[in-house]
Amino acid sequence: MIAVLDFGMGNIHSLLKAVSLYTEDFVFTSDPNQVKNADKIILPGDGHFDKAMQNLNQLGFTSLIKEHVAAKKYLFGICIGYQVLFEDSDETNKLGSTISGLGLIRGKIRKFEGKPNLKVPHMGWNKLFDIKQKNTKLLKGIPNESFMYFIHSYRPVGVDRLDITANCHYYGESFPAVVEKETVFGTQFHPEKSDKLGLGILKNFIEL
C-alpha cells in the first residue's frame, strides 16, 4: 500500500489522479497508523519549507518517515516534499536562520540569487540533463533533455554527486533535479504535471 501524505501543503488533486492511473492500492492520509503500515510513502506538496517541517513534526510524520526509510521501504518526495529530504533550508520567517529538514540526503536548500535578469521563481517547463541511466530506478526510460514542469525559488546545494541522477539548468547554474539514495527518491519538478514522461516517473516508483 502507498501512503500519500496529507500534511497540508498545496493542492495535490493532480497527483492523486496520476497515482490512480497505475494502482488502486493507495490512500491520501494524515493517519499515522496508515503511514506506519505503508510499503511506500509519497511526500508531495507546494509551499514553504518552514511550514512543511512544522506540519510534519506536529503530525508525528517526521519520526515515522525516518523509521520507514530505516526499514528500507521506499519514499518519494516531490517539490516541497523533495526539499525536506535534505539537511536544512534558509526558507524561514527569521532572517539569517535555518530550519532542519529530514536529513535523509546530504545537501542544503538555498534560494536562487544574484541574477537580476532572470526570474524567481523558476516556473514552467525545463529540461533534465546528465541522466545517469545506469544508476537510476526512477528515470528508467526517460530520455536525456526531457522537459519537466518546475515551480520553485529554492534548490539544493552541496549535494553528493553519487545521489544525483539528473540535473537541470537555470539561473546560470546546474542544480540537482532528481536524487536517489538507496530507497529514498525525490524530484524538484512535479512529475504528475509533466505529461507522459512525468507520469512514467511516477509509474516507475509505483512499480518498484
Side-chain angles (χ1 to χ4, degrees):
M1 187 265 288
I2 299 172
V4 182
L5 295 201
D6 177 8
F7 66 114
M9 299 304 295
N11 180 1
I12 68 158
H13 173 74
S14 56
L15 174 64
L16 298 176
K17 185 176 179 181
V19 171
S20 73
L21 295 174
Y22 305 109
T23 182
E24 295 179 356
D25 191 18
F26 74 97
V27 290
F28 179 49
T29 183
S30 58
D31 181 349
N33 288 322
Q34 288 186 314
V35 176
K36 195 176 295 185
N37 293 325
D39 302 307
K40 297 185 177 81
I41 290 174
I42 298 178
L43 187 56
D46 297 310
H48 196 273
F49 189 103
D50 196 338
K51 180 63 174 172
M53 286 307 304
Q54 284 182 35
N55 291 1
L56 289 173
N57 291 331
Q58 288 169 5
L59 290 164
F61 283 166
T62 300
S63 58
L64 286 178
I65 290 168
K66 291 180 179 180
E67 289 168 11
H68 179 91
V69 171
K72 303 298 181 184
K73 294 195 284 187
Y74 292 113
L75 171 67
F76 184 15
I78 296 170
C79 197
I80 196 64
Y82 168 74
Q83 293 190 359
V84 299
L85 299 177
F86 294 90
E87 294 170 289
D88 67 39
S89 174
D90 61 0
E91 188 181 15
T92 75
N93 295 321
K94 296 179 181 178
L95 189 63
S97 67
T98 60
I99 184 167
S100 295
L102 295 170
L104 300 172
I105 303 285
R106 194 180 80 182
K108 300 176 183 300
I109 303 300
R110 299 294 183 265
K111 192 172 185 179
F112 287 114
E113 291 180 344
K115 303 288 191 303
N117 59 321
L118 291 171
K119 293 180 180 179
V120 174
H122 171 213
M123 183 167 63
W125 296 90
N126 205 345
K127 293 179 182 178
L128 300 183
F129 292 95
D130 313 317
I131 293 178
K132 297 178 182 175
Q133 288 291 357
K134 291 183 179 179
N135 301 325
T136 183
K137 295 178 180 178
L138 203 58
L139 301 178
K140 290 293 184 188
I142 306 300
N144 209 42
E145 300 193 21
S146 294
F147 280 95
M148 299 293 161
Y149 187 80
F150 292 82
I151 176 166
H152 62 116
S153 300
Y154 291 73
R155 83 296 190 208
V157 298
V159 182
D160 190 327
R161 285 184 295 175
L162 293 176
D163 297 337
I164 302 168
T165 49
N167 289 303
C168 183
H169 303 329
Y170 189 68
Y171 230 62
E173 66 177 78
S174 177
F175 67 88
V178 184
V179 295
E180 303 181 39
K181 183 177 182 180
E182 297 178 352
T183 61
V184 178
F185 302 82
T187 62
Q188 178 61 76
F189 55 88
H190 287 273
E192 76 279 9
K193 297 179 180 177
S194 297
D195 206 17
K196 291 181 181 179
L197 291 174
L199 292 177
I201 292 171
L202 268 178
K203 183 173 184 284
N204 285 342
F205 177 76
I206 290 166
E207 293 181 350
L208 284 173

